[in-house]
């Protein structure tokens, strides 16, 4: 029996990258998982197939976190097909790295629609539907603590998601629901769009001395959503090999 046997988990952005690793990790602990994607149905289906081939249970649900109707549909699909929701992990994120003087309205809309408005929608829906004793994890970035040149707009939008999560932790703690933030450091995925020089520099500054892998972060999420983490809420966990 895994630590999450009998639980239902919604993991946004889980067709690729860290979300995929989270979906697979939670499934290995016994959770039934909703694998969410926006535009890569074949990648999401492949994650579901990997999970079911390993004896787990998973379904696919398309939808953008930035669209409220999609978000409602995502949660309804989870409830109808898997049952009441115990765990919500909002991994979805959008990034723009540009010097401040070059930022445009389009850049603002791209990151704030997913990282701020998307976090608002997902956390709202999670708060309304999650079972008492449930677990919510919102993804952010180490960039909200450690300023990165050209990373201002990304960090600003991610900070909004953090603040929603911390307020929600206070609002629903009485139901024994925990709400925490996980902030990866530089992690090896398609979403890593920094110049190689900047990545190398960050690795050099990382006490554990290497680039993070999606599983490194997924292991942290697996702990936060387990019963063992019941006394941990309103925290921002830096899953980053010690850089800061
Ligand atoms: N990688 C890093 O170095 C790093 C560092 C710090 C923080 N983070 C944060 O960690 C999280 C995961 O990062 P990652 O590198 O794994 O990202 P990634 O590889 O870019 O993730 C892509 C995933 O996001 C999905 N997605 C994109 N827009 C979405 C939307 N609007 N709604 C729902 N899903 C959406 C994609 O779906 P499709 O496949 O359908 O396109 C895919 O599943 C993000 O919040 C990111 O900001 C990452």
């Amino acid at each position: 029996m895994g630590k999450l046997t009998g639980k239902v988990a919604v993991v946004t952005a889980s067709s690729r990258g860290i979300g995929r690793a989270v979906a697979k990790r939670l499934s290995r602990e016994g959770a039934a998982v909703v694998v969410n994607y926006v535009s890569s149905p074949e990648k999401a289906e492949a994650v579901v197939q990997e999970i079911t081939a390993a004896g787990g249970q998973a379904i696919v649900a398309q939808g953008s976190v930035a669209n409220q109707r999609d978000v409602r549909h995502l949660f309804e699909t989870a409830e109808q097909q898997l049952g009441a929701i115990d765990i919500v992990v909002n991994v979805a994120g959008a990034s723009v790295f540009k010097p401040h003087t070059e930022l445009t309205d389009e850049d603002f809309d791209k990151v704030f629609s997913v990282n701020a408005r998307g976090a608002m929608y997902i956390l709202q829906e999670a708060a309304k539907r999650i079972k008492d004793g449930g677990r919510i994890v919102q993804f952010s970035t180490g960039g909200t603590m450690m300023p990165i040149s050209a990373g201002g707009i990304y960090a600003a939008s991610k900070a909004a998601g953090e603040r929603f999560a911390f307020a929600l932790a206070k609002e629903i703690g009485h139901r024994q629901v925990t709400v925490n933030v996980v902030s990866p450091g530089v992690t090896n995925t398609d979403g890593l769009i920094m110049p190689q020089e900047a990545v190398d520099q960050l690795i050099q500054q990382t006490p554990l001395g290497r680039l993070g892998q999606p599983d490194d972060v997924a292991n942290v999420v697996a702990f936060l959503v387990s019963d063992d983490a019941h006394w941990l809420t309103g925290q921002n966990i830096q899953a980053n090999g010690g850089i800061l």
Side-chain angles (χ1 to χ4, degrees):
M1 287 260 288
K3 284 185 172 178
L4 304 176
T5 298
K7 309 273 187 194
V8 171
V10 174
V11 184
T12 70
S14 42
S15 51
R16 293 186 278 127
I18 297 170
R20 171 177 177 270
V22 170
K24 290 179 65 176
R25 181 72 173 82
L26 301 194
S27 162
R28 278 209 306 281
E29 290 294 343
V33 180
V34 179
V35 175
N36 162 248
Y37 72 99
V38 182
S39 56
S40 324
E42 67 299 333
K43 294 213 162 85
E45 284 293 351
V47 177
V48 167
Q49 274 168 26
E50 286 174 69
I51 288 174
T52 48
Q57 189 183 5
I59 60 166
V60 162
Q62 193 276 340
S64 169
V65 299
N67 180 311
Q68 195 167 28
R69 246 181 317 171
D70 285 4
V71 170
R72 287 207 186 109
H73 183 250
L74 171 65
F75 281 80
E76 280 162 12
T77 305
E79 287 175 343
Q80 282 161 12
Q81 295 192 33
L82 298 176
I85 297 162
D86 301 282
I87 296 165
V88 175
V89 187
N90 185 27
V91 182
S95 57
V96 167
F97 288 92
K98 267 188 187 177
H100 194 77
T101 50
E102 293 173 21
L103 293 172
T104 64
D105 286 356
E106 289 71 31
D107 295 331
F108 186 93
D109 290 344
K110 178 180 170 188
V111 292
F112 275 84
S113 67
V114 174
N115 300 343
R117 203 170 60 205
M120 182 176 83
Y121 291 155
I122 290 286
L123 295 177
Q124 259 176 356
E125 215 54 39
K128 286 179 194 163
R129 295 170 186 262
I130 202 157
K131 280 162 74 174
D132 288 358
R135 299 277 182 271
I136 299 174
V137 176
Q138 167 66 32
F139 265 65
S140 185
T141 169
T144 61
M145 303 277 281
M146 183 182 70
I148 297 171
S149 182
I153 196 164
Y154 175 60
S157 63
K158 283 291 194 180
E162 291 180 6
R163 301 332 292 186
F164 287 138
F166 298 149
L168 186 60
K170 296 225 166 190
E171 291 167 23
I172 59 175
H174 64 97
R175 292 175 45 209
Q176 304 306 311
V177 176
T178 69
V179 188
N180 289 292
V181 170
V182 167
S183 293
V186 63
T187 309
N188 191 15
T189 71
D190 298 346
L192 183 58
I193 58 168
M194 288 172 148
Q196 189 56 45
E197 213 173 86
V199 173
D200 290 343
Q201 212 174 6
L202 287 168
I203 292 171
Q204 261 182 0
Q205 293 165 24
T206 301
L208 294 181
R210 63 171 173 79
L211 182 61
Q213 298 299 326
D215 283 341
D216 296 326
V217 182
N219 289 339
V220 174
V221 175
F223 167 66
L224 283 177
V225 304
S226 72
D227 285 345
D228 293 339
H230 65 271
W231 196 232
L232 200 57
T233 196
Q235 304 301 311
N236 186 350
I237 308 296
Q238 305 291 323
N240 62 11
I243 193 172
L244 273 188

